[in-house]
Amino acid sequence: MRGDQVELKSLRLDRKRVALRYGGRGGDADTVPPAIIPGAVSPTTVIYHGSVGAFAHIASQSAFPNSRSIGCDNLFDVVEAVRNGRADVAVLPCENILAGRVPDIHLLLPDVRLAIVGEIFLPIELHLVAPQGWRASEIRRVHSHPVALKQVRRFLATHGLSSVEENNTATAAALIKQRGDREAAAVASALAAETHGLTILKRNIADTPFNMTRFYVLSARSVVPAADRHDIMTSLLFEVKNAPGALFRAVGGFAENGINLTRLESYLLDGQFVATRFLCEFEGHPDHDRVNRALAVLERQTTRQTVLGVFPMHATGARVRARNRQSSHLDSLSGGRP
């Protein structure tokens, strides 16, 4: 990813949202959350997976500084809290530019029964943290969330350190403090280190300095922006027909209509090594004519479609995607030559 630190540190979340119909083609009607009143995405309570100092906590507070943020160590309890109204929205990480998708969230999406109503892009700085007085030369094991550990693989390999997976980065920091094992450290945020009275042994150890995680904002009900707004994302699930070339033809409508497909990931279904369900994200609103044409093509090649969310892009995400589109256009003009 190319970019500068000004863009990486832009964390403004545009909250001017109005409710329209929540569209979906195919699928069960009861899996699509009903639309709610305009402006409802100004939550009183935000729940996230982890504890104070986790990056989901930092993302929650950066996007919703006037809301109460509560942490929860159990991912399914986070989802249930939004379903039963104990929290207005959940903030969950979905992908990182170094580690790729967050597996737990990816597997959860088809059955979560929550609507994606926003996204947050958060710059990530991962630090090696341990109690005061410990030395980096003593460390043999590093504890953290599996996705965080993937972001520091080069550092771990270079220093001959083994990795130990924990529930989240902030929990890893707390456990290091509690256990007192001088051969163990955690990979966590500066806030987690401060919260648990740890010191930073090595700063910003991620495999690239431009590290960023994208988070979904999930609600029990959908909030769909007006179709005349710019910088809109649509996320949907679809299942292709069991026919040769079905996936190629299904997504061909996006290219034909000039729609930028930003994410396409598969699921294995029914215990078989055959991918028939796909998570798809693209730039555009379902009520746009060209998007409608693309979705009509998709519908002819699929047995089921379920819209997970139609939502405004985060300001940072909009700029990154615009820059990538421009870069791709220049590459196509040059024939891929440097």
Side-chain angles (χ1 to χ4, degrees):
M1 186 189 74
R2 296 179 293 273
D4 55 60
Q5 292 191 5
V6 173
E7 289 198 15
L8 293 181
K9 292 180 179 178
S10 175
L11 300 173
R12 180 179 60 83
L13 181 66
D14 189 348
R15 300 183 191 178
K16 295 178 181 178
R17 297 171 178 138
V18 295
L20 292 177
R21 67 176 179 82
Y22 190 79
R25 298 171 183 267
D28 300 328
D30 60 0
T31 65
V32 181
I36 55 177
I37 60 173
V41 183
S42 293
T44 300
T45 303
V46 179
I47 192 166
Y48 60 90
H49 184 218
S51 55
V52 174
F55 288 103
H57 169 234
I58 298 171
S60 300
Q61 294 205 316
S62 69
F64 305 110
N66 299 320
S67 303
R68 183 170 69 99
S69 295
I70 56 177
C72 181
D73 282 335
N74 187 296
L75 181 58
F76 296 100
D77 289 345
V78 171
V79 172
E80 189 57 33
V82 178
R83 286 177 180 169
N84 64 27
R86 191 165 64 89
D88 300 310
V89 297
V91 171
L92 296 174
C94 57
E95 54 186 340
N96 174 268
I97 62 171
L98 298 181
R101 69 188 183 193
V102 179
D104 291 346
I105 309 305
H106 176 74
L107 293 175
L108 187 69
L109 277 177
D111 302 310
V112 71
R113 292 189 287 116
L114 298 177
I116 303 171
V117 296
E119 62 175 11
I120 306 165
F121 280 74
L122 182 72
I124 302 295
E125 290 190 353
L126 294 168
H127 309 297
L128 185 70
V129 303
Q132 185 73 32
W134 294 11
R135 298 191 302 270
S137 59
E138 298 176 304
I139 304 304
R140 299 291 180 269
R141 294 175 300 280
V142 175
H143 297 243
S144 197
H145 187 277
V147 175
L149 291 170
K150 288 182 180 180
Q151 296 168 49
V152 299
R153 284 180 290 196
R154 190 177 305 156
F155 176 87
L156 298 180
T158 300
H159 294 84
L161 302 173
S162 61
S163 60
V164 182
E165 296 183 358
E166 303 291 356
N167 196 34
N168 62 78
T169 55
T171 297
L175 290 174
I176 292 301
K177 183 65 177 290
Q178 293 169 9
R179 292 170 180 171
D181 180 358
R182 296 185 71 92
E183 292 190 345
V187 170
S189 68
L191 178 58
E194 179 184 353
T195 299
H196 298 290
L198 303 176
T199 188
I200 296 177
L201 300 179
K202 296 283 186 179
R203 287 188 173 272
N204 203 13
I205 63 173
D207 292 344
T208 174
F210 298 112
N211 189 12
M212 183 177 288
T213 294
R214 178 183 180 225
F215 296 79
Y216 284 137
V217 181
L218 297 161
S219 172
R221 299 181 181 180
S222 65
V223 181
V224 181
D228 59 359
R229 283 197 50 161
H230 298 291
D231 296 333
I232 298 298
M233 291 291 293
T234 297
S235 178
L236 61 84
L237 288 168
F238 65 85
E239 296 179 15
V240 295
K241 296 178 179 179
N242 186 16
L247 177 61
F248 174 80
R249 289 190 293 271
V251 300
F254 294 102
E256 293 168 3
N257 289 279
I259 296 169
N260 189 26
L261 196 65
T262 62
R263 191 176 187 186
L264 183 64
E265 297 186 355
S266 63
Y267 291 87
L268 301 179
L269 297 180
D270 301 324
Q272 302 180 47
F273 289 106
V274 178
T276 58
R277 177 186 289 169
F278 294 87
L279 169 65
C280 167
E281 288 190 339
F282 58 85
E283 298 179 23
H285 195 293
D287 287 344
H288 294 164
D289 289 341
R290 60 193 182 96
V291 174
N292 244 309
R293 292 193 294 269
L295 291 178
V297 174
L298 183 72
E299 186 174 20
R300 289 196 292 271
Q301 303 299 327
T302 58
T303 58
R304 182 176 180 180
Q305 299 180 43
T306 303
V307 175
L308 298 178
V310 181
F311 51 93
M313 295 184 194
H314 186 277
T316 298
R319 286 196 295 271
V320 169
R321 290 168 181 133
R323 185 175 59 247
N324 289 342
R325 283 197 305 273
Q326 182 180 21
S327 176
S328 298
H329 179 63
L330 292 175
D331 287 345
S332 66
L333 291 178
S334 65
R337 296 185 302 274

